[in-house]
Amino acid sequence: MELLKQRILEVGVVASDQVLKLDAILNHQVDPVLIMEMGKEFARLFRETKPDKVLTVESSGIPIAYTTALQLGVPMVFARRKKTLTMDQDTYSERVPSFTKGIVTDIMVSSHLLGQGERILLIDDFIANGDAARGLIRIVEKAEAELVGVGIVVEKSFQNGGKSIRERGIRVESLARIASLANGQITFD
């Protein structure tokens, strides 16, 4: 997606050869016009899979998953990282490491929000090692729902996450694929 690549080059901050910060458009401040265009693109890419719901992890994935769900006319569900007082006791839960936070967290979805046989589209902001995506996939499997695909805004293709999901026979569509962050330079595939 050329608009996304342009914005990454304009505002992306290469923090290291492994980490790209997109706080100005995606992870701290949200560019609503860009987010809407990304949601339209994911809807175009996955419309034929006929998803019943869009699933993501809080918090950075929520705006993109929301706009995708809006374009597809389906509900959006997000996995929480912390259990709240009002959250159902019956949840699907997985422990996942966070590449950028350097910690392991639990992600959870109330079991009544994912139904057996429902067609689920995963949408997330980044994929590096693929731990969050694999955690969401396990939650979909626990719910006995059907995963119809994974949409990623930025795939760091020099890391193994996207590849490991594709090797499972799962369709992964990334709007921007970054081949390298070496020497402070953003290089796309």
Side-chain angles (χ1 to χ4, degrees):
M1 183 175 178
E2 288 307 312
L3 176 60
L4 174 60
K5 289 178 183 178
Q6 290 171 8
R7 296 291 287 140
I8 289 170
L9 291 174
E10 288 170 12
V11 303
V13 175
V14 179
S16 74
D17 63 350
Q18 300 289 308
V19 177
L20 173 65
K21 290 178 58 176
L22 292 177
D23 288 356
I25 59 172
L26 194 58
N27 301 110
H28 197 48
Q29 173 174 278
V30 175
D31 179 333
V33 173
L34 179 60
I35 295 289
M36 187 59 72
E37 291 304 312
M38 290 188 291
K40 288 177 184 175
E41 182 64 6
F42 280 133
R44 183 189 70 77
L45 289 168
F46 288 104
R47 189 173 311 283
E48 84 285 350
T49 68
K50 297 181 173 39
D52 296 308
K53 291 183 179 170
V54 173
L55 176 64
T56 193
V57 176
E58 71 176 348
S59 64
S60 298
I62 291 173
I64 303 114
Y66 173 83
T67 60
T68 302
L70 178 67
Q71 294 299 314
L72 291 169
V74 300
M76 181 212 65
V77 177
F78 64 90
R80 292 184 181 270
R81 292 191 184 271
K82 293 183 181 167
K83 197 160 193 156
T84 65
L85 292 174
T86 59
M87 189 170 191
D88 294 335
Q89 294 303 310
D90 190 16
T91 63
Y92 300 116
S93 180
E94 284 292 323
R95 292 192 64 85
V96 296
S98 170
F99 178 79
T100 51
K101 294 182 180 106
I103 59 170
V104 176
T105 62
D106 292 320
I107 58 172
M108 61 204 82
V109 176
S110 292
S111 60
H112 76 277
L113 297 176
L114 295 178
Q116 181 179 4
E118 283 187 316
R119 299 173 62 77
I120 307 299
L121 172 61
L122 300 185
I123 298 289
D124 208 359
D125 59 343
F126 273 90
I127 192 164
N129 293 326
D131 294 313
R134 281 191 296 277
L136 287 173
I137 290 167
R138 289 190 299 271
I139 285 174
V140 170
E141 290 168 346
K142 285 180 179 181
E144 298 180 7
E146 180 184 349
L147 180 66
V148 299
V150 176
I152 302 294
V153 174
V154 178
E155 177 179 348
K156 292 192 275 182
S157 59
F158 59 89
Q159 292 176 296
N160 202 34
K163 180 182 177 202
S164 70
I165 304 297
R166 288 181 184 96
E167 286 174 347
R168 293 184 59 183
I170 297 169
R171 177 180 171 195
V172 178
E173 298 283 351
S174 301
L175 300 184
R177 290 175 43 100
I178 295 179
S180 174
L181 296 171
N183 302 315
Q185 298 296 311
I186 300 168
T187 306
F188 295 105
D189 279 346

